[in-house]
Amino acid sequence: MDGRYTWRLVAQNGRVIARSGECFADHASCRAAFERLCAGQGGMVGGVQHTAEGNGWIWLLRDVRGRTVAVSGRAYERHATCRSAYDRFRVLLVQEGADWVSTSLL
């Protein structure tokens, strides 16, 4: 990556659950953005939409300024499956977000 940083939330099975919606200039900025996501997720809005190609579904989460802060780790074939993944991600943020104070640099 050209000196830019992004975060990814990875499940124990190695599947990417979510990724950052933007790139950051350094690790500290990337980490701070992830911590803001975990701390402020209650005030964020999101939902499901078609992929840019229109052949699947993705979910995204936006901050109060309308910036995309998190995006699904993959496209889904069905709207309902994508919506379910989005709902599970939101629950993860509430239940586990406070414990995600440690990140690793890959």
PDB file of all heavy atoms in Angstrom, residues 12-45:
ATOM      1  N   GLN A  12     -12.366 -14.941  13.535  1.00  0.00           N
ATOM      2  CA  GLN A  12     -11.421 -15.996  13.888  1.00  0.00           C
ATOM      3  C   GLN A  12     -11.154 -16.948  12.736  1.00  0.00           C
ATOM      4  O   GLN A  12     -10.084 -17.532  12.643  1.00  0.00           O
ATOM      5  CB  GLN A  12     -11.930 -16.773  15.098  1.00  0.00           C
ATOM      6  CG  GLN A  12     -11.863 -15.983  16.377  1.00  0.00           C
ATOM      7  CD  GLN A  12     -12.379 -16.768  17.567  1.00  0.00           C
ATOM      8  OE1 GLN A  12     -12.992 -17.815  17.425  1.00  0.00           O
ATOM      9  NE2 GLN A  12     -12.128 -16.245  18.749  1.00  0.00           N
ATOM     10  N   ASN A  13     -12.117 -17.084  11.828  1.00  0.00           N
ATOM     11  CA  ASN A  13     -11.932 -17.983  10.687  1.00  0.00           C
ATOM     12  C   ASN A  13     -11.177 -17.320   9.538  1.00  0.00           C
ATOM     13  O   ASN A  13     -10.986 -17.906   8.481  1.00  0.00           O
ATOM     14  CB  ASN A  13     -13.274 -18.519  10.191  1.00  0.00           C
ATOM     15  CG  ASN A  13     -14.175 -17.443   9.614  1.00  0.00           C
ATOM     16  OD1 ASN A  13     -13.816 -16.270   9.531  1.00  0.00           O
ATOM     17  ND2 ASN A  13     -15.377 -17.838   9.231  1.00  0.00           N
ATOM     18  N   GLY A  14     -10.740 -16.063   9.738  1.00  0.00           N
ATOM     19  CA  GLY A  14      -9.958 -15.362   8.733  1.00  0.00           C
ATOM     20  C   GLY A  14     -10.771 -14.515   7.764  1.00  0.00           C
ATOM     21  O   GLY A  14     -10.205 -13.779   6.961  1.00  0.00           O
ATOM     22  N   ARG A  15     -12.076 -14.605   7.838  1.00  0.00           N
ATOM     23  CA  ARG A  15     -12.928 -13.822   6.931  1.00  0.00           C
ATOM     24  C   ARG A  15     -12.990 -12.370   7.400  1.00  0.00           C
ATOM     25  O   ARG A  15     -13.148 -12.094   8.581  1.00  0.00           O
ATOM     26  CB  ARG A  15     -14.330 -14.402   6.891  1.00  0.00           C
ATOM     27  CG  ARG A  15     -15.242 -13.635   5.947  1.00  0.00           C
ATOM     28  CD  ARG A  15     -16.533 -14.329   5.724  1.00  0.00           C
ATOM     29  NE  ARG A  15     -16.318 -15.344   4.709  1.00  0.00           N
ATOM     30  CZ  ARG A  15     -17.266 -16.095   4.206  1.00  0.00           C
ATOM     31  NH1 ARG A  15     -18.493 -15.989   4.642  1.00  0.00           N
ATOM     32  NH2 ARG A  15     -16.999 -16.980   3.279  1.00  0.00           N
ATOM     33  N   VAL A  16     -12.871 -11.453   6.455  1.00  0.00           N
ATOM     34  CA  VAL A  16     -12.946 -10.032   6.781  1.00  0.00           C
ATOM     35  C   VAL A  16     -14.407  -9.664   7.016  1.00  0.00           C
ATOM     36  O   VAL A  16     -15.253  -9.858   6.139  1.00  0.00           O
ATOM     37  CB  VAL A  16     -12.340  -9.164   5.653  1.00  0.00           C
ATOM     38  CG1 VAL A  16     -12.497  -7.689   5.969  1.00  0.00           C
ATOM     39  CG2 VAL A  16     -10.877  -9.512   5.447  1.00  0.00           C
ATOM     40  N   ILE A  17     -14.687  -9.136   8.201  1.00  0.00           N
ATOM     41  CA  ILE A  17     -16.043  -8.723   8.562  1.00  0.00           C
ATOM     42  C   ILE A  17     -16.313  -7.317   8.053  1.00  0.00           C
ATOM     43  O   ILE A  17     -17.374  -7.033   7.500  1.00  0.00           O
ATOM     44  CB  ILE A  17     -16.223  -8.764  10.096  1.00  0.00           C
ATOM     45  CG1 ILE A  17     -16.046 -10.183  10.611  1.00  0.00           C
ATOM     46  CG2 ILE A  17     -17.566  -8.177  10.502  1.00  0.00           C
ATOM     47  CD1 ILE A  17     -15.964 -10.275  12.121  1.00  0.00           C
ATOM     48  N   ALA A  18     -15.345  -6.432   8.267  1.00  0.00           N
ATOM     49  CA  ALA A  18     -15.506  -5.023   7.891  1.00  0.00           C
ATOM     50  C   ALA A  18     -14.143  -4.429   7.598  1.00  0.00           C
ATOM     51  O   ALA A  18     -13.117  -4.961   8.024  1.00  0.00           O
ATOM     52  CB  ALA A  18     -16.189  -4.247   9.012  1.00  0.00           C
ATOM     53  N   ARG A  19     -14.165  -3.313   6.892  1.00  0.00           N
ATOM     54  CA  ARG A  19     -12.931  -2.592   6.601  1.00  0.00           C
ATOM     55  C   ARG A  19     -13.226  -1.100   6.693  1.00  0.00           C
ATOM     56  O   ARG A  19     -14.379  -0.679   6.655  1.00  0.00           O
ATOM     57  CB  ARG A  19     -12.371  -2.962   5.236  1.00  0.00           C
ATOM     58  CG  ARG A  19     -13.312  -2.705   4.104  1.00  0.00           C
ATOM     59  CD  ARG A  19     -12.718  -3.176   2.769  1.00  0.00           C
ATOM     60  NE  ARG A  19     -13.678  -3.056   1.714  1.00  0.00           N
ATOM     61  CZ  ARG A  19     -14.000  -1.929   1.079  1.00  0.00           C
ATOM     62  NH1 ARG A  19     -13.397  -0.795   1.417  1.00  0.00           N
ATOM     63  NH2 ARG A  19     -14.893  -1.899   0.126  1.00  0.00           N
ATOM     64  N   SER A  20     -12.185  -0.328   6.810  1.00  0.00           N
ATOM     65  CA  SER A  20     -12.370   1.118   6.925  1.00  0.00           C
ATOM     66  C   SER A  20     -12.913   1.691   5.621  1.00  0.00           C
ATOM     67  O   SER A  20     -12.642   1.178   4.541  1.00  0.00           O
ATOM     68  CB  SER A  20     -11.060   1.810   7.304  1.00  0.00           C
ATOM     69  OG  SER A  20     -10.062   1.567   6.341  1.00  0.00           O
ATOM     70  N   GLY A  21     -13.661   2.765   5.758  1.00  0.00           N
ATOM     71  CA  GLY A  21     -14.236   3.427   4.604  1.00  0.00           C
ATOM     72  C   GLY A  21     -13.330   4.467   3.996  1.00  0.00           C
ATOM     73  O   GLY A  21     -13.648   5.051   2.965  1.00  0.00           O
ATOM     74  N   GLU A  22     -12.198   4.713   4.617  1.00  0.00           N
ATOM     75  CA  GLU A  22     -11.246   5.698   4.105  1.00  0.00           C
ATOM     76  C   GLU A  22      -9.831   5.259   4.435  1.00  0.00           C
ATOM     77  O   GLU A  22      -9.623   4.361   5.237  1.00  0.00           O
ATOM     78  CB  GLU A  22     -11.537   7.080   4.681  1.00  0.00           C
ATOM     79  CG  GLU A  22     -11.542   7.142   6.195  1.00  0.00           C
ATOM     80  CD  GLU A  22     -12.030   8.481   6.735  1.00  0.00           C
ATOM     81  OE1 GLU A  22     -11.783   9.508   6.095  1.00  0.00           O
ATOM     82  OE2 GLU A  22     -12.639   8.479   7.798  1.00  0.00           O
ATOM     83  N   CYS A  23      -8.854   5.894   3.808  1.00  0.00           N
ATOM     84  CA  CYS A  23      -7.435   5.641   4.063  1.00  0.00           C
ATOM     85  C   CYS A  23      -6.883   6.735   4.970  1.00  0.00           C
ATOM     86  O   CYS A  23      -7.394   7.849   5.001  1.00  0.00           O
ATOM     87  CB  CYS A  23      -6.650   5.633   2.756  1.00  0.00           C
ATOM     88  SG  CYS A  23      -7.062   4.277   1.673  1.00  0.00           S
ATOM     89  N   PHE A  24      -5.797   6.404   5.660  1.00  0.00           N
ATOM     90  CA  PHE A  24      -5.186   7.327   6.604  1.00  0.00           C
ATOM     91  C   PHE A  24      -3.701   7.453   6.306  1.00  0.00           C
ATOM     92  O   PHE A  24      -3.075   6.536   5.806  1.00  0.00           O
ATOM     93  CB  PHE A  24      -5.420   6.833   8.033  1.00  0.00           C
ATOM     94  CG  PHE A  24      -6.873   6.639   8.342  1.00  0.00           C
ATOM     95  CD1 PHE A  24      -7.477   5.403   8.147  1.00  0.00           C
ATOM     96  CD2 PHE A  24      -7.655   7.695   8.763  1.00  0.00           C
ATOM     97  CE1 PHE A  24      -8.827   5.217   8.389  1.00  0.00           C
ATOM     98  CE2 PHE A  24      -9.007   7.523   9.004  1.00  0.00           C
ATOM     99  CZ  PHE A  24      -9.584   6.284   8.814  1.00  0.00           C
ATOM    100  N   ALA A  25      -3.151   8.595   6.665  1.00  0.00           N
ATOM    101  CA  ALA A  25      -1.747   8.883   6.358  1.00  0.00           C
ATOM    102  C   ALA A  25      -0.779   8.075   7.209  1.00  0.00           C
ATOM    103  O   ALA A  25       0.329   7.804   6.781  1.00  0.00           O
ATOM    104  CB  ALA A  25      -1.471  10.370   6.528  1.00  0.00           C
ATOM    105  N   ASP A  26      -1.202   7.695   8.426  1.00  0.00           N
ATOM    106  CA  ASP A  26      -0.293   6.964   9.302  1.00  0.00           C
ATOM    107  C   ASP A  26      -1.078   6.026  10.209  1.00  0.00           C
ATOM    108  O   ASP A  26      -2.304   6.084  10.290  1.00  0.00           O
ATOM    109  CB  ASP A  26       0.568   7.925  10.123  1.00  0.00           C
ATOM    110  CG  ASP A  26      -0.255   8.944  10.894  1.00  0.00           C
ATOM    111  OD1 ASP A  26      -1.239   8.552  11.559  1.00  0.00           O
ATOM    112  OD2 ASP A  26       0.075  10.137  10.818  1.00  0.00           O
ATOM    113  N   HIS A  27      -0.328   5.151  10.875  1.00  0.00           N
ATOM    114  CA  HIS A  27      -0.946   4.150  11.744  1.00  0.00           C
ATOM    115  C   HIS A  27      -1.736   4.796  12.875  1.00  0.00           C
ATOM    116  O   HIS A  27      -2.827   4.348  13.218  1.00  0.00           O
ATOM    117  CB  HIS A  27       0.124   3.213  12.303  1.00  0.00           C
ATOM    118  CG  HIS A  27      -0.434   2.162  13.204  1.00  0.00           C
ATOM    119  ND1 HIS A  27      -0.358   2.259  14.563  1.00  0.00           N
ATOM    120  CD2 HIS A  27      -1.084   1.006  12.937  1.00  0.00           C
ATOM    121  CE1 HIS A  27      -0.942   1.210  15.116  1.00  0.00           C
ATOM    122  NE2 HIS A  27      -1.385   0.427  14.149  1.00  0.00           N
ATOM    123  N   ALA A  28      -1.200   5.835  13.472  1.00  0.00           N
ATOM    124  CA  ALA A  28      -1.869   6.495  14.598  1.00  0.00           C
ATOM    125  C   ALA A  28      -3.232   7.057  14.184  1.00  0.00           C
ATOM    126  O   ALA A  28      -4.212   6.922  14.923  1.00  0.00           O
ATOM    127  CB  ALA A  28      -0.992   7.608  15.161  1.00  0.00           C
ATOM    128  N   SER A  29      -3.316   7.657  13.019  1.00  0.00           N
ATOM    129  CA  SER A  29      -4.597   8.196  12.535  1.00  0.00           C
ATOM    130  C   SER A  29      -5.587   7.076  12.261  1.00  0.00           C
ATOM    131  O   SER A  29      -6.783   7.200  12.551  1.00  0.00           O
ATOM    132  CB  SER A  29      -4.395   8.997  11.250  1.00  0.00           C
ATOM    133  OG  SER A  29      -3.563  10.093  11.474  1.00  0.00           O
ATOM    134  N   CYS A  30      -5.096   5.983  11.707  1.00  0.00           N
ATOM    135  CA  CYS A  30      -5.952   4.836  11.422  1.00  0.00           C
ATOM    136  C   CYS A  30      -6.501   4.244  12.719  1.00  0.00           C
ATOM    137  O   CYS A  30      -7.697   3.983  12.838  1.00  0.00           O
ATOM    138  CB  CYS A  30      -5.151   3.789  10.646  1.00  0.00           C
ATOM    139  SG  CYS A  30      -6.095   2.349  10.148  1.00  0.00           S
ATOM    140  N   ARG A  31      -5.628   4.069  13.677  1.00  0.00           N
ATOM    141  CA  ARG A  31      -6.046   3.521  14.973  1.00  0.00           C
ATOM    142  C   ARG A  31      -7.048   4.443  15.666  1.00  0.00           C
ATOM    143  O   ARG A  31      -8.049   3.993  16.213  1.00  0.00           O
ATOM    144  CB  ARG A  31      -4.830   3.306  15.864  1.00  0.00           C
ATOM    145  CG  ARG A  31      -5.180   2.731  17.205  1.00  0.00           C
ATOM    146  CD  ARG A  31      -3.948   2.620  18.088  1.00  0.00           C
ATOM    147  NE  ARG A  31      -4.340   2.207  19.404  1.00  0.00           N
ATOM    148  CZ  ARG A  31      -4.042   1.032  19.929  1.00  0.00           C
ATOM    149  NH1 ARG A  31      -3.352   0.155  19.236  1.00  0.00           N
ATOM    150  NH2 ARG A  31      -4.438   0.725  21.138  1.00  0.00           N
ATOM    151  N   ALA A  32      -6.800   5.743  15.615  1.00  0.00           N
ATOM    152  CA  ALA A  32      -7.715   6.708  16.236  1.00  0.00           C
ATOM    153  C   ALA A  32      -9.095   6.654  15.573  1.00  0.00           C
ATOM    154  O   ALA A  32     -10.121   6.746  16.250  1.00  0.00           O
ATOM    155  CB  ALA A  32      -7.132   8.115  16.150  1.00  0.00           C
ATOM    156  N   ALA A  33      -9.125   6.492  14.263  1.00  0.00           N
ATOM    157  CA  ALA A  33     -10.402   6.400  13.551  1.00  0.00           C
ATOM    158  C   ALA A  33     -11.164   5.159  13.985  1.00  0.00           C
ATOM    159  O   ALA A  33     -12.391   5.203  14.178  1.00  0.00           O
ATOM    160  CB  ALA A  33     -10.175   6.385  12.053  1.00  0.00           C
ATOM    161  N   PHE A  34     -10.461   4.036  14.148  1.00  0.00           N
ATOM    162  CA  PHE A  34     -11.124   2.811  14.604  1.00  0.00           C
ATOM    163  C   PHE A  34     -11.658   2.973  16.023  1.00  0.00           C
ATOM    164  O   PHE A  34     -12.773   2.557  16.325  1.00  0.00           O
ATOM    165  CB  PHE A  34     -10.168   1.616  14.524  1.00  0.00           C
ATOM    166  CG  PHE A  34     -10.827   0.319  14.885  1.00  0.00           C
ATOM    167  CD1 PHE A  34     -11.682  -0.302  13.992  1.00  0.00           C
ATOM    168  CD2 PHE A  34     -10.602  -0.274  16.110  1.00  0.00           C
ATOM    169  CE1 PHE A  34     -12.304  -1.501  14.321  1.00  0.00           C
ATOM    170  CE2 PHE A  34     -11.212  -1.464  16.456  1.00  0.00           C
ATOM    171  CZ  PHE A  34     -12.071  -2.088  15.556  1.00  0.00           C
ATOM    172  N   GLU A  35     -10.883   3.614  16.876  1.00  0.00           N
ATOM    173  CA  GLU A  35     -11.340   3.848  18.247  1.00  0.00           C
ATOM    174  C   GLU A  35     -12.556   4.769  18.273  1.00  0.00           C
ATOM    175  O   GLU A  35     -13.486   4.566  19.062  1.00  0.00           O
ATOM    176  CB  GLU A  35     -10.199   4.411  19.092  1.00  0.00           C
ATOM    177  CG  GLU A  35      -9.125   3.361  19.361  1.00  0.00           C
ATOM    178  CD  GLU A  35      -7.900   3.918  20.062  1.00  0.00           C
ATOM    179  OE1 GLU A  35      -7.775   5.156  20.211  1.00  0.00           O
ATOM    180  OE2 GLU A  35      -7.051   3.092  20.443  1.00  0.00           O
ATOM    181  N   ARG A  36     -12.593   5.782  17.393  1.00  0.00           N
ATOM    182  CA  ARG A  36     -13.771   6.653  17.298  1.00  0.00           C
ATOM    183  C   ARG A  36     -14.987   5.869  16.829  1.00  0.00           C
ATOM    184  O   ARG A  36     -16.096   6.079  17.307  1.00  0.00           O
ATOM    185  CB  ARG A  36     -13.508   7.824  16.351  1.00  0.00           C
ATOM    186  CG  ARG A  36     -12.683   8.930  16.947  1.00  0.00           C
ATOM    187  CD  ARG A  36     -12.696  10.184  16.070  1.00  0.00           C
ATOM    188  NE  ARG A  36     -12.265   9.941  14.697  1.00  0.00           N
ATOM    189  CZ  ARG A  36     -11.001   9.914  14.297  1.00  0.00           C
ATOM    190  NH1 ARG A  36     -10.018  10.101  15.184  1.00  0.00           N
ATOM    191  NH2 ARG A  36     -10.701   9.712  13.031  1.00  0.00           N
ATOM    192  N   LEU A  37     -14.774   4.956  15.903  1.00  0.00           N
ATOM    193  CA  LEU A  37     -15.864   4.106  15.435  1.00  0.00           C
ATOM    194  C   LEU A  37     -16.438   3.308  16.592  1.00  0.00           C
ATOM    195  O   LEU A  37     -17.657   3.285  16.794  1.00  0.00           O
ATOM    196  CB  LEU A  37     -15.365   3.158  14.342  1.00  0.00           C
ATOM    197  CG  LEU A  37     -16.286   2.002  13.971  1.00  0.00           C
ATOM    198  CD1 LEU A  37     -17.552   2.502  13.298  1.00  0.00           C
ATOM    199  CD2 LEU A  37     -15.564   1.002  13.090  1.00  0.00           C
ATOM    200  N   CYS A  38     -15.590   2.673  17.354  1.00  0.00           N
ATOM    201  CA  CYS A  38     -16.058   1.858  18.483  1.00  0.00           C
ATOM    202  C   CYS A  38     -16.763   2.704  19.534  1.00  0.00           C
ATOM    203  O   CYS A  38     -17.795   2.307  20.069  1.00  0.00           O
ATOM    204  CB  CYS A  38     -14.886   1.108  19.108  1.00  0.00           C
ATOM    205  SG  CYS A  38     -14.174  -0.153  18.032  1.00  0.00           S
ATOM    206  N   ALA A  39     -16.225   3.877  19.827  1.00  0.00           N
ATOM    207  CA  ALA A  39     -16.795   4.724  20.874  1.00  0.00           C
ATOM    208  C   ALA A  39     -18.058   5.442  20.431  1.00  0.00           C
ATOM    209  O   ALA A  39     -18.961   5.657  21.237  1.00  0.00           O
ATOM    210  CB  ALA A  39     -15.757   5.749  21.319  1.00  0.00           C
ATOM    211  N   GLY A  40     -18.149   5.814  19.164  1.00  0.00           N
ATOM    212  CA  GLY A  40     -19.258   6.641  18.712  1.00  0.00           C
ATOM    213  C   GLY A  40     -20.258   5.968  17.816  1.00  0.00           C
ATOM    214  O   GLY A  40     -21.098   6.624  17.194  1.00  0.00           O
ATOM    215  N   GLN A  41     -20.205   4.648  17.732  1.00  0.00           N
ATOM    216  CA  GLN A  41     -21.062   3.948  16.783  1.00  0.00           C
ATOM    217  C   GLN A  41     -22.545   4.166  17.019  1.00  0.00           C
ATOM    218  O   GLN A  41     -23.333   4.099  16.086  1.00  0.00           O
ATOM    219  CB  GLN A  41     -20.724   2.458  16.743  1.00  0.00           C
ATOM    220  CG  GLN A  41     -20.963   1.711  18.026  1.00  0.00           C
ATOM    221  CD  GLN A  41     -22.398   1.319  18.242  1.00  0.00           C
ATOM    222  OE1 GLN A  41     -23.143   1.092  17.299  1.00  0.00           O
ATOM    223  NE2 GLN A  41     -22.792   1.272  19.492  1.00  0.00           N
ATOM    224  N   GLY A  42     -22.941   4.475  18.247  1.00  0.00           N
ATOM    225  CA  GLY A  42     -24.357   4.675  18.541  1.00  0.00           C
ATOM    226  C   GLY A  42     -24.976   5.824  17.771  1.00  0.00           C
ATOM    227  O   GLY A  42     -26.158   5.800  17.440  1.00  0.00           O
ATOM    228  N   GLY A  43     -24.181   6.834  17.442  1.00  0.00           N
ATOM    229  CA  GLY A  43     -24.692   7.986  16.705  1.00  0.00           C
ATOM    230  C   GLY A  43     -24.517   7.878  15.203  1.00  0.00           C
ATOM    231  O   GLY A  43     -24.811   8.821  14.476  1.00  0.00           O
ATOM    232  N   MET A  44     -24.049   6.731  14.741  1.00  0.00           N
ATOM    233  CA  MET A  44     -23.809   6.551  13.309  1.00  0.00           C
ATOM    234  C   MET A  44     -24.983   5.857  12.644  1.00  0.00           C
ATOM    235  O   MET A  44     -25.734   5.130  13.288  1.00  0.00           O
ATOM    236  CB  MET A  44     -22.527   5.744  13.092  1.00  0.00           C
ATOM    237  CG  MET A  44     -21.303   6.454  13.602  1.00  0.00           C
ATOM    238  SD  MET A  44     -19.820   5.473  13.344  1.00  0.00           S
ATOM    239  CE  MET A  44     -18.629   6.461  14.226  1.00  0.00           C
ATOM    240  N   VAL A  45     -25.126   6.109  11.366  1.00  0.00           N
ATOM    241  CA  VAL A  45     -26.212   5.494  10.598  1.00  0.00           C
ATOM    242  C   VAL A  45     -25.608   4.692   9.453  1.00  0.00           C
ATOM    243  O   VAL A  45     -24.492   4.943   9.023  1.00  0.00           O
ATOM    244  CB  VAL A  45     -27.193   6.549  10.045  1.00  0.00           C
ATOM    245  CG1 VAL A  45     -27.894   7.272  11.176  1.00  0.00           C
ATOM    246  CG2 VAL A  45     -26.494   7.535   9.140  1.00  0.00           C
TER     247      VAL A  45
END
